[in-house]
Amino acid sequence: MNLKILFIVNDVSFFLSHRLPIAKEARARGYSVYIAAMPSALSAIISENDFEFCPLPLTRSGKNPFFEMRSFFSIFLLLRRLRPDILHLVTIKPVLYGAIAARLCSIYGVVCAVSGLGFVFTSKSKKNLPIRFLVSWLYRAAFGKENLRVIFQNPDDRDVLLSIRALNSSKVRMIRGSGVDLAMYQARPEPLGAPIVCFAARLLRDKGVFEYVAAVRLLQERGVTASYRLVGDPDPGNPSSLTASDIETVRQEGLVEVIGFRDDIADIFASSHLVVLPSYREGLPKVLVEAAACGRAVITTDVPGCRDAIDPGETGLLVPMKSVTGLADAMQRLIEDGELRRRMGAAGRMLAEREFAIEKVVQQHLDIYAELEANIGK
């Protein structure tokens, strides 16, 4: 039986970086694969990979109720037209809108990938309480379908949704991140010369960019010898994004080399000694997985997602969230202790081989499809 699988994601670039290997393997095993997302300059890559692209009006951060209703009904109509056997929903809005639409359209099997809960659950502001109540209700409505599985990347996100009774534990599946191609991200010896510290992520306040720059400033005051990089670009669709003015201020200060977006992260890490991500919360950050695969020690925050991407004390160090001094202390320790840094990098590569190989992650997803497939028609 030739089954259809439809992926819905709000950002084509996120699909290409985090889900493309799954789609390719699904097609290799006989599925007809469709990809639905907001059109972008990268949409053509979907067609170049011989998948059918279905444009949808989706935004990540839009709050206009009329546009959100349009997004929901567009998904509903797409499901009515395609009638996929398996629906794979990725990121918050596709998960909420898609899973509710799937119930209305009687789609057989649904996979919801929760790669983070967003500011609604992470913010402590009282003004977000009404939104949190609404989103909690939407999650309960979305996850009410019987033949549905919800993939979490860390136990904290899972426990939040279990605590609000959005789903029962029988529907939960844990997959530790989106995997990494170990052949593309290889461990190479550290370069010669003074240590180079690398921050690589979207340039968002919530990624800890300002804490990183402040920690570098503190290390300069201490006389620590090292160079520092900031790799990534802003994300205008995210309310936490740095502005062009913010980035220019960092560049003008001259303490950190502002590199911008790069698609050769394996080479960037190979030319660095240490990778830092002081994020406030994550699903499971791919950059830490890639750093581990490249044999680089990491420093990250003791928060959901980040702490799940490393073996604390073995492959890297954990620091308190928003602690500039704690971050600077950890950076100084691994800048000055090359033996410890290299030992942690080697352990990171072993962790990547054991837990994060893309083949393992892809197979875990295909196993979930097969599980849902087995219930079709029951």
Side-chain angles (χ1 to χ4, degrees):
M1 180 169 57
N2 186 19
L3 300 180
K4 292 181 185 177
I5 181 168
L6 169 65
F7 290 84
I8 299 181
V9 61
N10 56 18
D11 190 326
V12 171
S13 65
F14 187 83
F15 171 80
L16 294 173
S17 62
H18 289 70
R19 297 294 184 276
L20 183 59
I22 300 169
K24 286 183 174 180
E25 184 61 24
R27 182 179 58 197
R29 299 196 188 187
Y31 288 92
S32 297
V33 181
Y34 300 78
I35 318 297
M38 185 76 172
S40 77
L42 298 174
S43 302
I45 299 178
I46 301 293
S47 300
E48 290 170 6
N49 279 276
D50 296 324
F51 299 119
E52 183 169 333
F53 180 71
C54 307
L56 283 176
L58 285 170
T59 64
R60 284 176 294 156
S61 57
K63 298 176 183 177
N64 184 309
F66 296 103
F67 192 91
E68 298 309 308
M69 288 300 295
R70 179 187 173 207
S71 298
F72 173 79
F73 281 111
S74 296
I75 292 173
F76 174 82
L77 292 174
L78 177 63
L79 296 184
R80 287 282 301 271
R81 177 172 67 85
L82 278 184
R83 306 298 306 177
D85 300 284
I86 303 292
L87 176 63
H88 190 148
L89 304 166
V90 184
T91 65
I92 295 172
K93 285 187 181 180
V95 164
L96 293 176
Y97 300 168
I100 293 173
R103 294 185 71 183
L104 297 175
C105 294
S106 300
I107 301 302
Y108 291 124
V110 178
V111 179
C112 296
V114 177
S115 54
L117 294 179
F119 80 97
V120 172
F121 287 98
T122 59
S123 172
K124 304 300 182 183
S125 173
K126 291 184 179 180
K127 70 179 182 180
N128 282 327
L129 287 176
I131 300 175
R132 192 176 302 141
F133 178 83
L134 173 61
V135 173
S136 297
W137 180 86
L138 288 172
Y139 271 117
R140 285 190 286 270
F143 295 161
K145 181 179 175 62
E146 186 60 34
N147 199 30
L148 172 142
R149 299 295 180 267
V150 183
I151 299 172
F152 292 93
Q153 296 186 335
N154 69 70
D156 295 87
D157 289 346
R158 174 199 64 195
D159 293 345
V160 167
L161 293 188
L162 286 175
S163 70
I164 64 171
R165 299 184 180 179
L167 75 164
N168 59 60
S169 57
S170 66
K171 297 178 181 178
V172 170
R173 298 294 180 270
M174 300 297 299
I175 297 181
R176 199 173 176 181
S178 54
V180 63
D181 186 338
L182 294 173
M184 291 181 61
Y185 292 83
Q186 296 186 2
R188 297 185 232 172
E190 288 185 349
L192 300 176
I196 297 172
V197 182
C198 182
F199 174 112
R202 287 179 296 155
L203 301 186
L204 309 178
R205 288 186 295 275
D206 290 354
K207 298 288 185 183
V209 176
F210 291 132
E211 287 81 4
Y212 173 65
V213 174
V216 171
R217 192 178 299 121
L218 183 55
L219 292 176
Q220 290 289 98
E221 294 171 0
R222 294 178 182 177
V224 175
T225 302
S227 298
Y228 306 93
R229 292 172 169 173
L230 188 63
V231 180
D233 53 3
D235 181 1
N238 190 304
S240 177
S241 178
L242 270 64
T243 65
S245 177
D246 293 329
I247 297 169
E248 185 59 26
T249 298
V250 173
R251 181 181 283 111
Q252 289 296 326
E253 188 175 6
L255 298 178
V256 175
E257 181 185 5
V258 180
I259 293 179
F261 173 78
R262 294 287 292 266
D263 59 6
D264 57 342
I265 291 298
D267 291 332
I268 291 290
F269 288 165
S271 63
S272 303
H273 298 73
L274 175 63
V275 176
V276 175
L277 182 69
S279 181
Y280 298 174
R281 188 181 181 118
E282 299 278 343
L284 194 142
K286 190 168 185 178
V287 67
L288 295 183
V289 173
E290 292 168 341
C294 290
R296 293 298 178 259
V298 300
I299 297 171
T300 191
T301 35
D302 189 8
V303 298
C306 291
R307 59 175 168 245
D308 302 289
I310 76 170
D311 285 343
E314 297 293 326
T315 67
L317 301 176
L318 292 178
V319 299
M321 183 181 72
K322 298 185 180 181
S323 173
V324 172
T325 302
L327 179 59
D329 290 345
M331 289 167 64
Q332 182 172 355
R333 181 182 177 191
L334 291 186
I335 287 170
E336 296 179 342
D337 191 340
E339 182 180 349
L340 174 61
R341 187 179 64 238
R342 287 185 287 274
R343 187 163 67 244
M344 285 184 165
R349 176 65 187 191
M350 293 174 63
L351 171 65
E353 292 174 350
R354 185 173 69 248
E355 296 290 339
F356 300 133
I358 189 64
E359 295 82 3
K360 177 178 179 178
V361 171
V362 168
Q363 185 57 53
Q364 288 174 307
H365 283 83
L366 270 291
D367 289 344
I368 293 173
Y369 297 163
E371 183 182 349
L372 294 174
E373 225 179 285
N375 295 326
I376 292 177
K378 289 186 179 180

